[in-house]
Amino acid sequence: MKIGIDDIGLSVPQHFFALEELAERHGIDPQKYLVGIGQEFMAVPAPDEDIVTLAANAALPLLDDATRASIATVILATESGIDQSKAAGLFVHSLLGLRADCRVVEFKQACYGATAGLQMARALVAQRPHEKVLVIATDIARYEQNSEGECTQGAGAVAMIVAENPRLLELHPHQGRYSLDVSDFWRPNLRSTALVDGKLSIEVYLESLRNAWQSYRADGGLGLEDMSFLCFHQPFTKMAKKAFSVFEEIEPEAAKALGEKAYSTSQLYGKAIGNCYTASLYIALLSLLDNSDEDLTGRNIGLFSYGSGSVGEFFSATVVPGYQAHSRRKAHARMLASRTRLGHEQYSSWFYGDNHPAVADYSTPYVTGGAFRYGGCEGYRRQYESTALSLKMAS
């Protein structure tokens, strides 16, 4: 039985902030951000955009009537949780008009959570092939203002339909996993921004990759020489180069044959969006599928997912014949090209202002041009609504 990603969609906020301007504010050479970490822009959510609206916007284009009726499970992965009890996916389930006969859960393990969701989805489809699973990775990466992490912020969501006989990617059964209890990145409940030991986190990431690769190969996975491309979790796009250096050490001949082209196309979207935690690996995958000038049919792709704390997993997939016919590359390109650049004052207000105060009742200004918006709270109950765009897309 062939199981994999049948459809995939991207959603990002409609505003961005340039890292060149952030560097000027920090009083450093802009090349430290543009080249040093490989980032050009960060996506910035408006006050009425959050992980729910991003998730719903990513999933909506994937849903025709038949697909909507066949989705039996929604798995939403995030580390930007909005409630300590209720799964954010339930808001998404409602906004998308999915059937009531459906399970909805939220996964959390730093940036790794969506990969756990993808593997669970694969197992569910194997058990019930007539059903499909909607997996959504959605996050807003936040760090303290003027901290070293501020340059790696971003926001976005990737939605994936997992099904039998997929039209895009067939997932392989082989998996390599590695878990280690370490505090390289964490966000206590009382904080809205994350804490990170950057040097330690990179070291653990690379250790996790080495061990996950060994586990993958021991599980019967492909050799590096059988892969054409590699997609890595990218908290900043330069991390892909650091990750590839692991293979240059342990698989030097195969790595030399692959070269930089194995991962460079996967970096393009990340440069323009920034870190999206759970969605970052799948934004890299989308970047490869959307932007490669090669026919990827039959090519094998290796993927490494990492979540601080820490869990890493290496897995692989094959691009399905005819995948180009189901690509959403034009829509994704329009989305990124139509964004509005923010000045520092507006960026700072939206990212760090008290837009969502800890009070029972408040409303947000109407800013988004997306299909869904976050309207605020009534009695601490989050309020979401469809916009005119959503109604137009549904008609």
Side-chain angles (χ1 to χ4, degrees), residues 17-299:
F17 182 60
L19 270 292
E20 184 176 10
E21 185 173 346
L22 182 66
E24 293 172 359
R25 289 279 173 167
H26 287 176
I28 64 173
D29 184 349
Q31 296 304 304
K32 180 178 180 180
Y33 293 160
L34 302 179
V35 177
I37 63 171
Q39 293 302 130
E40 297 176 1
F41 309 117
M42 69 170 79
V44 180
D48 57 347
E49 295 174 328
D50 70 356
I51 61 166
V52 169
T53 64
L54 289 168
N57 279 313
L60 183 63
L62 281 54
L63 303 179
D64 55 23
D65 290 342
T67 301
R68 185 178 273 106
S70 66
I71 292 174
T73 300
V74 177
I75 300 171
L76 185 145
T78 188
E79 58 177 295
S80 310
I82 55 173
D83 191 283
Q84 293 283 41
S85 180
K86 182 177 179 178
L90 284 163
F91 294 110
V92 177
H93 174 274
S94 175
L95 289 171
L96 296 177
L98 299 179
R99 72 192 208 193
D101 180 17
C102 180
R103 68 170 62 85
V104 182
V105 293
E106 180 173 320
F107 278 15
K108 178 181 74 175
Q109 172 33 48
C111 303
Y112 166 76
T115 299
L118 186 64
Q119 297 292 10
M120 176 178 171
R122 184 181 182 279
L124 289 172
V125 173
Q127 182 185 65
R128 299 172 65 86
H130 61 289
E131 295 179 340
K132 297 179 180 180
V133 179
L134 174 59
V135 179
I136 308 175
T138 179
D139 264 305
I140 299 172
R142 295 181 187 273
Y143 299 89
E144 287 188 357
Q145 191 165 22
N146 299 319
S147 69
E148 291 185 356
E150 185 179 1
C151 59
T152 63
Q153 295 181 141
V158 172
M160 298 172 279
I161 301 291
V162 179
E164 184 184 24
N165 297 321
R167 296 174 297 174
L168 297 178
L169 284 173
E170 177 190 352
L171 294 171
H172 301 166
H174 313 293
Q175 304 161 22
R177 301 171 293 268
Y178 181 73
S179 294
L180 176 70
D181 179 12
V182 61
S183 294
D184 59 326
F185 176 105
W186 65 105
R187 182 171 69 85
N189 286 338
L190 56 83
R191 292 181 61 93
S192 61
T193 56
L195 298 169
V196 61
D197 183 333
K199 184 175 184 293
L200 176 62
S201 193
I202 291 173
E203 291 173 354
V204 178
Y205 177 116
L206 298 177
E207 177 186 352
S208 183
L209 173 55
R210 291 186 188 95
N211 284 277
W213 171 251
Q214 292 173 2
S215 175
Y216 168 80
R217 293 288 285 132
D219 196 47
L222 300 173
L224 190 63
E225 66 276 5
D226 297 316
M227 297 180 185
S228 298
F229 299 96
L230 296 168
C231 292
F232 302 102
H233 167 57
Q234 297 176 22
F236 51 92
T237 66
K238 195 67 170 288
M239 193 66 219
K241 182 176 182 179
K242 293 179 182 291
F244 188 69
S245 70
V246 169
F247 290 105
E248 292 177 316
E249 295 172 6
I250 63 177
E251 302 274 0
E253 292 186 8
K256 183 178 180 180
L258 283 174
E260 183 181 352
K261 67 178 179 61
Y263 63 85
S264 58
T265 306
S266 75
Q267 297 173 299
L268 299 178
Y269 280 168
K271 291 177 184 289
I273 298 170
N275 189 7
C276 298
Y277 292 157
T278 56
S280 290
L281 170 62
Y282 299 98
I283 288 174
L285 173 61
L286 253 181
S287 184
L288 171 62
L289 295 176
D290 284 359
N291 297 302
S292 178
D293 56 8
E294 300 181 44
D295 181 359
L296 303 181
T297 301
R299 301 290 192 91

Side-chain angles (χ1 to χ4, degrees), residues 300-311:
N300 294 319
I301 303 172
L303 300 102
F304 176 64
S305 179
Y306 175 75
S308 292
S310 63
V311 177

